Amino acid sequence: MVQLTSRSASMSVESVEQAGHSTGAGRAEASPGGPEAAPPAGEEPGRREGSPDRLRQLVHRTDPRDVFPTGLTRLTDTQFSVSAHWPRSHRFFAPVGGRHQDPLLIAETMRQTTMLIAHAQFGVPVGDAFVMWELRYTAMSERLELGDDPWDLTVDVSCSRIRRRGRSLGSMHLELLLHRRGTVLASGGGRISCTSAGAYQRLRGHRSAVLDTPIPLLPAVAPRTVGRTSEKDVVLSPGTEPGTWLLRLDTRHPTLFGRPNDHVPGILLLEAARQAAHAATPGRPFLPTEMRADFLQYVELDRPCLIEATSLPAGAGSPAGVFVRAVQDGEPAFTCTLHSPGRLAAGPGDARTDLS
């Protein structure tokens, strides 16, 4: 758990934008320990919402409906608190069975929080590329039940093993704690690295042509078999063997492909893992309250990608789960282990309800 201190520096994303103008084109903010002053001792910092346009830029989202952080507070040079809001309904991160918030909101909030902190507090220019190598979280299903109250959250973040790349960030590990109204919702962590725009162009420039190349849309499996109600949100296509599917890519999807990308986005791979887990455990809803993902290499848009699912027996203190991997060109590119509470009962609303 991140230790919260009473003496901290609070900033809105609007102030990030002002700092970005003063430190040079493309740079979100100066390095930690910059000019922001701490409030007087004993005074709690105010948390203000940031500019929606700037927030979208810093979390790499183009549609405000897909942006979950609302503000940022620096506690120390390596500890931060991010306010966030989850909608009660979302066009993609829809409630599971009408009863629970979508646990993938945890993963997406962690991803956006990480990029916000990297840009606003570690001086990563907005044009740089992020690589998420690992992502994991654990949540409790009963704390994801919808209820009637607004879903305003706080994400406490602790950064470690920080490696610099000049004035910017090379890589770091993060531990995150999500809580709401004094109750912990989930804990997790991850590992990222950052690549300058120039280095990314040298590494991936040959793939830029794929941005203008239509990607064939494969046929979808039946939505209810993967916990969906609409074919537009299905990311699996029938495979040739039991427990296998082909990755289905709809580059027009407003959330999964909200901005041009020369490879398969990580959130789409997480959704593929969740859909495969649901299909591999028929007869009961699959609520991924535990997830551990490893991103091994880029998954290319224009080459077939096989999704494989293997059921896992229950272990000591852990419910039964599913191991999923994505294989492209004969090599594993992504692996994910997911667990769902065994006590969840099947019902008429097992699929995620599309409320858009």
Side-chain angles (χ1 to χ4, degrees), residues 283-297:
R284 64 181 180 90
F286 194 92
L287 188 74
T289 52
E290 294 182 44
M291 176 182 285
R292 181 182 180 94
D294 292 283
F295 302 87
L296 307 176
Q297 60 187 34

Side-chain angles (χ1 to χ4, degrees), residues 56-63 66 111 115 119 126-128 211 251 253-263 265:
R56 290 198 297 271
Q57 185 180 26
L58 295 181
V59 303
H60 298 195
R61 284 297 191 184
T62 56
D63 192 315
D66 296 331
R111 186 192 72 84
M115 290 190 295
H119 285 310
V126 171
D128 281 13
L211 296 174
T251 54
H253 195 286
T255 296
L256 295 176
F257 285 93
R259 54 186 285 160
N261 212 323
D262 65 6
H263 60 276

